Amino acid sequence: MASPLFDPAAFLGKVAFVSGTASGIGAATARRLADLGAKLVLVDRDKIRLDAFAKTLASETVLAVEVDVTAIASVKEAIKRGVDNFGGLDLAVNSAGIDLPRCETASYPCEQWDRIIAVNLTGVFNAVRHQIPAMLVRGGGSIVNVSSIMGFRGFAGQPAYTAAKHGVIGLTKAAALDHAAQGIRINAVAPGFIDTPLLGHLNDEKRRAAAALHPMQRVGQADEITNVILFLLSDASSFVTGACFDADGGYLAK
């Protein structure tokens, strides 16, 4: 059901770029935008799952593009294809991200550090870097970057993920300041533990432990994060930029 915080008709005909759409928050957000009448540029590195997801949406308003967000030329080309196909770009959600096995900092594999920073931080920069010029042609737009509670708190065994998600918030604030006077709003959302494939490796005991970290005593659902993202994309948040909204079941309030 559409959130009452924004006018659902406001998304009708808008062109939105969403990364990480093969599953999780990206897929949930893309589906809601499609239901609200937006035209979608869907990107993910997993072509098989991306194409399967795209087929569940209206094909005439969806462009699915296999993209490696760590390669700026790949991101640039996907945005160009979206603009060429739909006539412009109004909205963007940068949710592509990965997690890898935990390891203490002193023995953390350098190649694992490089990979997580490349996807979770540089990938967001690569997208924002080319989304902004496309939106300026339309006179403005709104971008939401997906960070994490680990963008505010340290987490043992997760130096790269923690650093990347801190960086996403910093990038969001800097970019928002750079383009606030040009009609571009750039915000972030910081989810807690969400029931997505990133938690798929947890057994029942570890899932209960993750749930217990939140004062609400449960993990979140992808649609609950989508509600926050849609608010930030919409004109209901027209005086909001450079902000990071917690959607974490109270985790950061502790």
Side-chain angles (χ1 to χ4, degrees):
M1 185 169 65
S3 168
L5 291 177
F6 53 82
D7 177 9
F11 292 100
L12 186 63
K14 292 291 182 71
V15 181
F17 174 104
V18 186
S19 72
T21 48
S23 63
I25 293 169
T29 301
R31 186 171 298 282
R32 286 284 297 282
L33 285 168
D35 289 344
L36 293 169
K39 300 173 182 179
L40 299 173
V41 183
L42 307 182
V43 307
D44 200 284
R45 63 176 179 161
D46 188 334
K47 187 178 189 305
I48 294 175
R49 293 175 68 187
L50 174 64
D51 288 345
F53 173 71
K55 287 178 181 177
T56 68
L57 307 176
S59 60
E60 67 274 10
T61 57
V62 172
L63 175 66
V65 186
E66 181 183 6
V67 169
D68 177 0
V69 296
T70 70
I72 196 164
S74 179
V75 178
K76 180 180 179 180
E77 176 61 22
I79 293 171
K80 181 180 183 301
R81 285 183 60 185
V83 170
D84 291 345
N85 200 67
F86 296 125
L89 182 66
D90 305 294
L91 310 169
V93 180
N94 299 311
S95 67
I98 60 170
D99 192 11
L100 294 172
R102 296 181 187 177
C103 184
E104 291 183 351
T105 303
S107 54
Y108 200 83
C110 293
E111 63 275 12
Q112 185 164 307
W113 169 276
D114 290 343
R115 181 61 182 162
I116 289 183
I117 295 297
V119 175
N120 294 5
L121 179 55
T122 305
V124 176
F125 168 76
N126 289 343
V128 170
R129 168 64 180 80
H130 291 290
Q131 289 159 357
I132 291 170
M135 290 179 179
L136 288 174
V137 174
R138 303 272 264 198
S142 181
I143 298 172
V144 178
N145 299 322
V146 178
S147 181
S148 165
I149 51 175
M150 293 185 207
F152 291 98
R153 299 281 177 84
F155 206 86
Q158 296 274 29
Y161 193 91
T162 301
K165 292 302 185 178
H166 272 70
V168 168
I169 295 174
L171 169 62
T172 297
K173 291 178 180 294
L177 291 175
D178 284 338
H179 300 283
Q182 297 172 295
I184 306 288
R185 295 189 302 106
I186 307 172
N187 293 290
V189 61
F193 288 89
I194 307 301
D195 190 11
T196 70
L198 283 181
L199 296 188
H201 66 285
L202 299 182
N203 59 30
D204 289 345
E205 180 181 356
K206 289 183 178 179
R207 286 181 67 87
R208 286 192 295 269
L213 294 173
H214 306 79
M216 285 186 169
Q217 296 296 296
R218 66 178 178 86
V219 298
Q221 299 299 312
D223 281 339
E224 294 179 297
I225 309 306
T226 291
N227 287 335
V228 179
I229 291 172
L230 292 181
F231 167 70
L232 292 172
L233 289 176
S234 77
D235 289 341
S237 61
S238 58
F239 199 53
V240 179
T241 196
C244 184
F245 277 51
D246 310 339
D248 63 359
Y251 184 102
L252 292 172
K254 295 185 293 181

